[in-house]
Amino acid sequence: MFEINQGRLEVAGTLLNGSGGVIDLNRATALADGAWTNAAGARLLLGDARLTVSKGLTNAGQVLVTSGDSDVFGTVVNQKAGQILLSGQGTTTFYDAVELQAGSELRTSAGATAVFFGAVAQRSGALLTGTGHKYFEGGFSVGNSPGLGEDAGSVAFGLGNIYLAEIGGTTLGSGHDHYRVAGTLTLGGTLQLVSFAGFAGQAGQQFDLFDWGTLQGQFSTIDSSGLQLATGTTLDVSRLYTDGVIS
C-alpha cells in the first residue's frame, strides 16, 4: 500500500498500480506527467484529493472516492470490469473526457455527486448505477453508434452541454440512440441530431430518444443540421418533452 496523507506526490513517466496494489490519496495532491494504469485487482483511493494525470488514467480495477470533494484532471478510460465508485456525500469533478466502456461501472451512491466538464461517452453495456446526481457540462453520448445508455440516478445537462443523438434506423438502441434515466432528467444545452451511415428519415418514421422518471427543463437548442431527411419531409419534435420521441 502506498499512502499519501495531506501531502504531495509527483510522478515522472508512467505508473502501473498492479493487481493487489493500493494507492491512497487522503487530502493529498498527485501529479503525473505520464499515464497511470490501475490494473485489475488494484485500488486507487481518493479522499478529498486532487489527481492530475497528463496522459490519462486507465482503470481496470477500482477507483474509490469518498470523504469530501475530489478533482480529477486528465482523460479517464474505465475499462471492462473497471469500477469507479463515488460515495460519502461528496462531489467528484472530472475536468476532461471520460469513456465508460462496456462492462464497466460508474456508481454514484445516494448523496454523492459527479460533475463532468469534459465529453463523456457511455458505451452500450456500461453501467451507471446508484441514485446520486450527475451533471454533464461538456458533452454526452451513449452507445456504439448508435446504442443504449441507462442511468439509475438523476442527470442534468448543463447550458453548455451537447447531447449527441445518432439516428440510423427506427429500432430503439440499435437503429438510433436511446437514453433512460430512472430518476430526474433535467434538460439543457443542445440536442444534436445526426444521421448515422447515410440514413435519411422518411415520412411516418419515429425515434424514441429518451425515457425518464421525471423530466425538468428543455434543450436551449435543437440542432438537426446533421440529420438527413427525405425530400419534402420535416422534423416533428412536438412529442420530445412528453414522451421523448421525435418523428
Side-chain angles (χ1 to χ4, degrees):
M1 179 173 178
F2 187 82
E3 181 178 1
I4 300 293
N5 189 4
Q6 301 186 57
R8 180 182 178 93
L9 171 68
E10 295 190 22
V11 178
T14 60
L15 184 146
L16 170 63
N17 189 24
S19 180
V22 178
I23 297 177
D24 184 1
L25 302 176
N26 180 27
R27 290 177 291 172
T29 297
L31 300 98
D33 63 6
W36 277 31
T37 298
N38 201 47
R43 293 192 297 171
L44 172 60
L45 315 181
L46 303 178
D48 198 14
R50 171 176 289 220
L51 175 63
T52 301
V53 185
S54 64
K55 295 187 179 179
L57 169 66
T58 299
N59 177 56
Q62 289 186 318
V63 177
L64 308 179
V65 187
T66 187
S67 176
D69 300 332
S70 293
D71 298 320
V72 179
F73 295 86
T75 59
V76 176
V77 177
N78 203 31
Q79 295 183 324
K80 181 179 180 179
Q83 292 181 305
I84 300 174
L85 309 182
L86 315 178
S87 190
Q89 310 294 311
T91 297
T92 306
T93 304
F94 299 86
Y95 288 88
D96 296 289
V98 175
E99 181 184 4
L100 306 169
Q101 296 184 350
S104 70
E105 179 185 8
L106 171 64
R107 184 187 309 163
T108 310
S109 296
T113 300
V115 178
F116 301 92
F117 285 113
V120 178
Q122 180 188 3
R123 305 304 183 193
S124 295
L127 303 176
L128 272 68
T129 63
T131 57
H133 287 75
K134 297 180 186 70
Y135 295 86
F136 295 99
E137 298 285 352
F140 182 60
S141 62
V142 302
N144 301 318
S145 299
L148 174 66
E150 299 182 86
D151 196 301
S154 293
V155 170
F157 294 154
L159 183 63
N161 189 73
I162 298 175
Y163 177 81
L164 174 66
E166 294 181 303
I167 298 176
T170 58
T171 303
L172 177 154
S174 58
H176 62 270
D177 286 335
H178 181 77
Y179 186 44
R180 298 172 181 161
V181 175
T184 298
L185 173 60
T186 302
L187 299 178
T190 299
L191 170 61
Q192 186 174 45
L193 305 170
V194 298
S195 290
F196 176 73
F199 175 81
Q202 306 295 317
Q205 291 179 328
Q206 64 179 28
F207 313 97
D208 185 359
L209 300 184
F210 300 102
D211 283 319
W212 51 73
T214 304
L215 183 70
Q216 295 182 352
Q218 296 186 359
F219 290 106
S220 301
T221 303
I222 298 176
D223 178 6
S224 61
S225 60
L227 178 62
Q228 300 179 46
L229 300 176
T231 301
T233 63
T234 59
L235 184 65
D236 180 2
V237 298
S238 61
R239 294 168 55 193
L240 178 60
Y241 302 118
T242 57
D243 57 12
V245 172
I246 63 172
S247 59

